[in-house]
Amino acid sequence: MSKFLQGNYEMAQDSQASEVKKTEQGYSEMFEKQALERLGGSIAFVMKADKFVWDDEEDA
Amino acid sequence: MLSEEQLKLISEATLRKTAAIGLKHASENKAYLNKSIKDLRNELQSLPPKPSLVISAGPSLHRHKSIETIKDKGFNGHIIAVDGALGHCLRNGVVPDFVITVDPDPHRIIRWFGDPRLAERPVDDYFKRQDLDPAFRENEVARNAEMIELVNRYGSKIKAIISTSVSSEITRRCLEAGMELYWWNPLYDDYDAPESVTRKIRKLNGVPCMVTGGNVGTSAWVFTHTILKSPEVVLVGMDFSYPPGTDVVNTQYYEHLKEIFPDDPSKGLIFINNPHTGETLCTDPAYYWYNINFLNMAPLASCKTYNCSEGGILFGNGVEFRKLSEVLTSML
């Protein structure tokens, strides 16, 4: 009985399920990316060289 | 929690959303430029530095009646209100020294100053849903008229720390109310990069650029230690989150969350525990990004930062979470 349950061939269904899972994951990632791209903040933010204020004249 | 890559997506999305309109508004505001934050820094240079109190518009400002504590204990320093907190301050007898504004939205932000063209604005339920100033949720027309009157009455006592990114309608409104304007540009992107928007705007108007953290509250904090040179900065209403039990409808990005998760917009919220208050608060991806930005910058600042909001998710890494009454008493 245990030998029978072990199986002796690859079930096609397994690979299909795996494909479905991969596609779902792909959609989920794509969906998440689109979602985050829509959820921007009030104003852009970047910080360079640990400086809070940049004034070209002073930096020159 | 969001990964580095997810935070980068929000950052890039914000740049895309705000750079073009920021540039457009900077061009329109050029005619009004006079003094900048650099002039203000020079004006204050001979005076001894004072602490600053930043009044942001998070829900804790109302939940914990921070204004009452400030009035009760007193504060001998600069008071900076973000635009969304201006109405709450003025209605409760606090005239800030400075009001700061940065968001380039062409229709909503002017409401914080009293909108003379309210009847002409596109239909928008934002003010009925928002939690920044609950007073604006009802009797919109009457509240707006009250704001116009209050800002007109006290405007001459308030200096506007105004970003070139805001609509020129806000500029005219501040001038009409008698405010003195000090200009700044937001630092949008790497000024050394080819096609940098920051460099383009700096070249257009010659105004210094300041780091924003992505929002007006953090911009206010940057202003306090870089321009006002405050050695200590107290924050109130700086939550970057919503109190327990907040309906997703009342969160800032509800419209977007509803588009993304039509069946259940609350799926887009993130839950965070604050060990100082014992509360579990919810936040959205943009607010979460603000919080991370602040905590990344705090250790680099020249000031000591006390978050006295008594709520929210901003603590640790250079931000001391304290009770407002204790900190104000220690500064007397």
Side-chain angles (χ1 to χ4, degrees):
Chain A
M1 188 69 180
S2 63
K3 196 179 168 189
F4 176 75
L5 283 174
Q6 231 174 6
N8 56 7
Y9 66 96
E10 289 292 319
M11 290 173 69
Q13 233 180 346
D14 280 351
S15 63
Q16 275 176 4
S18 155
E19 279 305 309
V20 169
K21 203 175 170 186
K22 265 189 200 171
T23 313
E24 276 176 0
Q25 198 180 355
Y27 280 135
S28 165
E29 277 171 15
M30 195 170 72
F31 192 61
E32 182 188 61
K33 191 175 174 191
Q34 285 177 350
L36 291 171
E37 281 178 350
R38 279 192 243 172
L39 288 170
S42 287
I43 192 72
F45 164 64
V46 71
M47 190 174 193
K48 195 177 172 184
D50 295 349
K51 283 170 68 172
F52 286 98
V53 176
W54 176 66
D55 190 2
D56 209 18
E57 282 172 16
E58 287 180 2
D59 288 4
Chain B
M1 305 297 158
L2 300 177
S3 66
E4 284 289 320
E5 199 184 330
Q6 289 169 323
L7 291 168
K8 199 174 158 216
L9 281 175
I10 298 177
S11 179
E12 287 166 354
T14 310
L15 176 64
R16 275 197 300 277
K17 188 175 101 174
T18 59
I21 191 168
L23 178 59
K24 177 179 173 276
H25 286 168
S27 304
E28 291 164 1
N29 279 319
K30 204 178 166 197
Y32 301 98
L33 300 181
N34 185 8
K35 289 180 173 182
S36 78
I37 50 170
K38 194 169 146 186
D39 297 301
L40 180 63
R41 195 173 59 188
N42 293 339
E43 286 170 22
L44 296 171
Q45 213 158 25
S46 58
L47 304 170
K50 292 195 286 188
S52 283
L53 172 64
V54 173
I55 304 179
S56 204
S60 64
L61 186 68
H62 311 281
R63 283 178 82 207
H64 298 293
K65 298 184 168 51
S66 310
I67 296 284
E68 291 305 313
T69 309
I70 293 162
K71 280 161 58 179
D72 180 42
K73 296 286 174 191
F75 181 71
N76 186 22
H78 304 289
I79 297 182
I80 303 95
V82 305
D83 46 13
L86 181 62
H88 184 69
C89 289
L90 297 181
R91 281 194 301 272
N92 289 283
V94 172
V95 181
D97 302 299
F98 303 97
V99 62
I100 185 163
T101 185
V102 64
D103 192 318
D105 186 282
H107 298 297
R108 289 178 177 171
I109 305 302
I110 194 166
R111 188 82 68 91
W112 303 131
F113 298 87
D115 183 359
R117 291 182 54 232
L118 178 62
E120 299 163 48
R121 300 287 168 199
V123 177
D124 185 2
D125 68 348
Y126 172 79
F127 286 91
K128 286 184 179 146
R129 293 186 291 100
Q130 54 78 38
D131 62 348
L132 302 178
D133 192 340
F136 277 77
R137 284 188 189 166
E138 286 166 12
N139 303 322
E140 282 192 79
V141 174
R143 278 296 179 195
N144 185 56
E146 178 193 45
M147 251 342 265
I148 291 176
E149 196 275 318
L150 283 170
V151 172
N152 286 350
R153 195 191 313 166
Y154 297 110
S156 62
K157 296 178 177 171
I158 303 168
K159 292 179 172 65
I161 306 306
I162 184 166
S163 165
T164 59
S165 54
V166 303
S167 147
S168 59
E169 280 193 276
I170 294 177
T171 309
R172 288 188 289 276
R173 178 74 191 101
C174 292
L175 288 169
E176 176 194 68
M179 292 184 191
E180 199 173 355
L181 310 190
Y182 291 89
W183 291 94
W184 59 286
N185 291 320
L187 206 67
Y188 290 91
D189 56 5
D190 180 356
Y191 41 80
D192 285 329
E195 303 298 316
S196 162
V197 176
T198 308
R199 183 168 286 279
K200 199 180 278 182
I201 294 180
R202 173 67 180 75
K203 204 172 168 187
L204 172 84
N205 60 23
V207 169
C209 305
M210 196 166 74
V211 165
T212 67
N215 65 94
V216 69
T218 307
S219 302
W221 170 76
V222 173
F223 167 73
T224 60
H225 62 87
T226 57
I227 305 302
L228 301 179
K229 303 282 180 194
S230 293
E232 291 173 304
V233 182
V234 179
L235 312 173
V236 293
M238 195 80 82
D239 296 27
F240 298 146
S241 63
Y242 309 98
T246 301
D247 191 319
V248 66
V249 174
N250 299 118
T251 63
Q252 284 290 303
Y253 295 88
Y254 171 69
E255 289 166 338
H256 302 290
L257 294 176
K258 197 178 156 194
E259 271 178 51
I260 299 159
F261 306 104
D263 296 338
D264 182 7
S266 67
K267 276 185 191 165
L269 298 176
I270 301 161
F271 291 86
I272 293 176
N273 181 258
N274 180 336
H276 300 277
T277 62
E279 288 179 324
T280 298
L281 303 113
C282 66
T283 189
D284 50 42
Y287 272 25
Y288 184 84
W289 178 62
Y290 297 161
N291 200 55
I292 295 287
N293 293 345
F294 199 115
L295 293 175
N296 284 339
M297 290 192 287
L300 306 170
S302 55
C303 65
K304 197 160 174 60
T305 304
Y306 301 103
N307 184 4
C308 300
S309 303
E310 300 178 10
I313 57 170
L314 182 65
F315 52 84
N317 210 34
V319 179
E320 217 174 295
F321 200 87
R322 297 272 301 274
K323 270 191 86 70
L324 178 60
S325 57
E326 283 173 15
V327 170
L328 293 181
T329 304
S330 72
M331 286 181 169
L332 287 175

